[in-house]
């Protein structure tokens, strides 16, 4: 009789890829994979954890205690924890939560050990294969691990280690297998995608990688996440501008615009260079949708610098923007060298003001799209609408295009349209979501 296992993934999409590689190994070992959102009893729960900021740590710990409660009620036999949280707190967690049957870190070797603890032999020949947890028409492709950057606020290099690129041929093989499963959109991810290849090839190779991926039959869209502005490769700009398979979309966390704060953050770029870079992106790739992330309340950010940040956001008019309040993370340069002088209440106030400004920008950007025709892909169905995206929206993090299901489409036709690309006309706009009709 096969064992059943549920893998719960917390944190970023890079963690999701790690979970999918583990789940493929378990599937090959005849484990029954229980859906993540299922409440049915199972033999084992595996939690892939995050510890990037304090909120992520709290979420991960809460999820572990929830699994412990289920174990105490007899709904789960064993609990295993891996990923960033257990990598970072390898000594503390076993003492804090002894009910967990095993803690493992975030390396590829930890996946091998975790599979063995579950009773599965890790098969190297399956190391590029995945058990997809996303809708089958899109998948994340993690092109490297770790980071060589030394941003003051970031704990990732201390958790995940140095930057290590996956060889191009391995990534192409993995992407070909995904395409054979029906994947039509690849979302390329890493801690810094622009750094890709420096360790293996002695130069940045993200543009040649994207070119190879775009040659794969079946792949229609390639989307780039998590890029670093300093040292952004010129050939990547040219590839994005000229390759029709690469979405006119870029996720590029800029973090701030004040030179004083950027210096404190150790970002190796000035405010003026940041502005010039954004303008260059828009000039070379007309119509590009930019998504960025900003930090408020970082050491060095006074009211003057926060005002500069608000002015920057108003001027740059980012189509997508997320933000979070600075939290002091042990082991980082910031925690060891700066005083966290902005109160929690003031950080929250600044965050709310920043997002209020962005809400108006997002609404204006959306309103400008009313009446336009756009190609979309249907991700799912909800309350009489297809939940869709164009090349300008990324799944899970951006707004959606809600397209009313025509009355003449029966259940079979609706199911058939999921994962398909089709044209819609944008009919109205909300602050973050759009509404459309099938053309």
């Amino acid at each position: 009789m096969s064992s059943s296992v549920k893998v719960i993934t917390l944190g970023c999409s890079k963690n999701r890829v790690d979970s999918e590689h583990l789940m493929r190994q378990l599937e090959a070992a005849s484990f029954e994979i229980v859906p993540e959102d299922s409440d049915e009893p199972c033999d084992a729960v595996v939690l892939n954890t995050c510890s990037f900021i304090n909120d992520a740590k709290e979420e991960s710990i809460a999820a572990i205690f929830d699994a412990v409660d289920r174990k105490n009620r007899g709904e789960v036999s064993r609990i295993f924890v891996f990923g960033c949280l257990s990598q970072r707190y390898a000594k503390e967690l076993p003492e804090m939560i002894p009910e967990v049957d095993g803690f493992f870190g975030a390396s590829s070797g930890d996946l091998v050990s975790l599979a063995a603890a579950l009773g599965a032999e890790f098969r190297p020949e399956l190391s590029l294969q995945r058990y997809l947890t996303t809708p089958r028409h899109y998948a994340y492709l993690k092109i490297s691990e770790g980071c060589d950057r030394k941003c003051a606020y970031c704990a990732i290099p201390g958790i995940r280690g140095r930057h290590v690129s996956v060889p191009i041929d391995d990534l192409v093989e993995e992407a070909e297998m995904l395409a054979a499963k029906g994947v039509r959109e690849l979302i390329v991810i890493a801690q810094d995608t622009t750094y890709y290849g420096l360790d293996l090839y002695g130069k940045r190779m993200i543009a040649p990688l994207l070119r190879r991926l775009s040659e794969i039959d079946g792949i229609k869209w390639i989307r780039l996440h998590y890029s670093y502005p300093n040292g952004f490769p010129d050939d990547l700009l040219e590839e994005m501008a000229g390759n029709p398979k690469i979405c006119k979309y870029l996720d590029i966390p800029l973090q701030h615009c004040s030179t004083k704060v950027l210096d404190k953050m150790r970002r190796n770029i000035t405010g003026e260079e940041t502005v010039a870079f954004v303008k260059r992106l828009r000039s070379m790739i007309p119509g590009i949708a930019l998504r960025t992330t900003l930090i408020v309340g970082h050491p060095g950010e006074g009211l003057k610098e926060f005002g500069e940040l608000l002015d920057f956001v108003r001027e740059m008019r980012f189509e997508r923007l997320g933000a979070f309040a600075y939290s002091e993370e042990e082991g980082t340069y910031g925690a060891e060298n700066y005083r966290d002088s902005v109160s929690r209440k003031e950080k929250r106030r600044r965050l709310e003001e920043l997002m209020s400004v962005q809400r108006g920008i997002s609404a204006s950007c959306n309103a400008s799209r009313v009446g336009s025709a756009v190609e979309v892909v249907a991700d799912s169905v909800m309350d009489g609408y297809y939940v869709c995206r164009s090349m300008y929206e990324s799944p899970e993090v951006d707004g959606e295009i809600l397209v009313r299901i025509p009355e003449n489409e029966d259940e079979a036709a609706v199911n058939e349209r999921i994962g398909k690309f089709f044209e819609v006309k944008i009919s109205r706009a909300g602050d973050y979501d759009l509404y459309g009709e099938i053309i």
Side-chain angles (χ1 to χ4, degrees):
M1 181 177 177
S2 64
S3 296
S4 58
V5 60
K6 176 163 71 172
V7 179
I8 298 173
T9 303
L10 303 158
C12 68
S13 51
K14 297 185 287 293
N15 278 6
R16 180 167 298 281
V17 173
D18 294 340
S19 292
E20 291 178 349
H21 281 299
L22 172 66
M23 292 164 77
R24 177 66 185 99
Q25 293 287 339
L26 298 177
E27 180 188 45
S30 298
F31 278 72
E32 176 192 350
I33 306 298
V34 176
E36 187 170 346
D37 59 358
S38 171
D39 291 327
E40 68 180 84
C42 54
D43 297 309
V45 167
V46 179
L47 296 107
N48 188 355
T49 55
C50 179
S51 65
F52 176 55
I53 57 176
N54 190 60
D55 287 350
K57 287 186 284 188
E58 291 179 355
E59 181 187 24
S60 292
I61 292 171
I64 297 171
F65 278 119
D66 181 66
V68 168
D69 287 342
R70 295 194 65 197
K71 183 178 181 181
N72 291 337
R73 294 196 301 268
E75 299 171 3
V76 173
S77 300
R78 297 186 296 166
I79 302 170
F80 297 95
V81 176
F82 78 112
C84 291
L85 187 76
S86 47
Q87 176 79 30
R88 193 173 185 183
Y89 301 106
K91 295 181 180 179
E92 296 88 344
L93 285 172
E95 298 176 3
M96 177 182 171
I97 318 177
E99 296 89 346
V100 172
D101 296 274
F103 289 94
F104 301 85
S107 70
S108 57
D110 284 301
L111 282 186
V112 176
S113 300
L114 173 55
L118 284 161
E121 179 183 358
F122 192 91
R123 295 167 56 180
E125 69 271 19
L126 302 179
S127 61
L128 298 179
Q129 295 186 24
R130 309 251 292 277
Y131 180 100
L132 283 182
T133 59
T134 55
R136 69 173 192 170
H137 55 280
Y138 73 81
Y140 297 96
L141 185 69
K142 185 164 74 167
I143 64 174
S144 66
E145 187 59 88
C147 187
D148 287 352
R149 308 283 189 181
K150 301 296 181 184
C151 300
Y153 52 84
C154 186
I156 294 299
I159 299 170
R160 290 282 183 168
R162 298 291 303 272
H163 171 89
V164 179
S165 300
V166 179
I168 287 179
D169 288 344
D170 286 353
L171 291 170
V172 171
E173 182 179 346
E174 183 173 345
E176 287 174 340
M177 287 188 284
L178 292 170
K181 284 187 169 187
V183 168
R184 296 294 173 259
E185 176 182 6
L186 291 175
I187 304 168
V188 176
I189 56 173
Q191 197 62 31
D192 174 9
T193 51
T194 64
Y195 216 74
Y196 175 76
L198 274 170
D199 54 322
L200 288 181
Y201 308 107
K203 59 182 179 179
R204 297 172 190 263
M205 291 289 286
I206 181 64
L209 170 64
L210 296 183
R211 202 152 43 242
R212 287 281 304 276
L213 295 175
S214 70
E215 295 168 357
I216 297 173
D217 288 340
I219 297 300
K220 182 176 177 66
W221 286 350
I222 300 174
R223 191 180 302 276
L224 197 60
H225 271 222
Y226 316 130
S227 298
Y228 195 94
N230 184 33
F232 197 94
D234 287 340
D235 62 344
L236 176 55
L237 280 175
E238 295 165 1
E239 192 69 26
M240 292 182 69
N243 189 329
K245 285 192 175 183
I246 300 178
C247 293
K248 300 301 183 283
Y249 176 103
L250 182 64
D251 185 319
I252 185 157
L254 298 173
Q255 313 300 10
H256 217 279
C257 72
S258 162
T259 296
K260 176 186 174 183
V261 178
L262 289 167
D263 183 58
K264 286 276 191 179
M265 288 178 167
R266 306 178 84 199
R267 293 284 287 175
N268 299 308
I269 192 170
T270 67
E272 292 78 9
E273 290 168 339
T274 300
V275 170
F277 173 70
V278 173
K279 290 181 177 179
R280 186 172 181 228
L281 277 174
R282 294 206 186 277
S283 172
M284 288 196 65
I285 311 171
I288 189 172
L290 295 180
R291 175 177 179 81
T292 196
T293 307
L294 302 173
I295 300 174
V296 300
H298 190 279
E301 185 193 73
L303 291 177
K304 175 179 178 294
E305 289 75 26
F306 178 64
E308 291 177 22
L309 185 62
L310 293 178
D311 290 341
F312 171 72
V313 170
R314 292 186 183 105
E315 181 186 0
M316 296 296 102
R317 294 180 61 80
F318 295 103
E319 287 79 7
R320 323 270 179 250
L321 187 149
F324 60 93
Y326 172 76
S327 65
E328 189 174 82
E329 297 297 322
E330 64 266 35
T332 62
Y333 183 91
E336 294 173 356
N337 293 275
Y338 303 144
R339 185 169 69 91
D340 187 4
S341 57
V342 182
S343 71
R344 182 177 297 182
K345 180 179 179 181
E346 174 61 12
K347 288 175 185 173
R348 185 166 57 249
R349 185 198 70 78
R350 293 182 192 180
L351 183 59
E352 290 172 355
E353 184 175 358
L354 173 63
M355 294 312 297
S356 177
V357 170
Q358 176 59 28
R359 187 178 302 111
I361 294 169
S362 175
S364 175
C365 289
N366 278 353
S368 71
R369 296 175 66 182
V370 172
S372 65
V374 63
E375 185 179 35
V376 302
V377 62
D379 286 339
S380 62
V381 171
M382 181 182 68
D383 298 332
Y385 288 88
Y386 291 112
V387 180
C388 303
R389 295 176 295 109
S390 72
M391 73 161 60
Y392 306 111
E393 291 87 29
S394 197
E396 301 183 46
V397 294
D398 294 332
E400 295 156 335
I401 302 175
L402 303 176
V403 178
R404 186 172 296 281
I405 298 173
E407 293 182 0
N408 63 348
E409 291 197 0
D410 59 18
E411 184 177 354
V414 169
N415 291 334
E416 177 67 21
R417 198 183 281 274
I418 301 301
K420 298 296 193 298
F421 294 79
F422 52 96
E423 294 283 325
V424 304
K425 182 177 180 179
I426 305 300
S427 56
R428 64 187 173 95
D431 288 350
Y432 296 108
D433 293 332
L434 294 161
Y435 295 81
E437 306 291 338
I438 296 174
I439 296 176

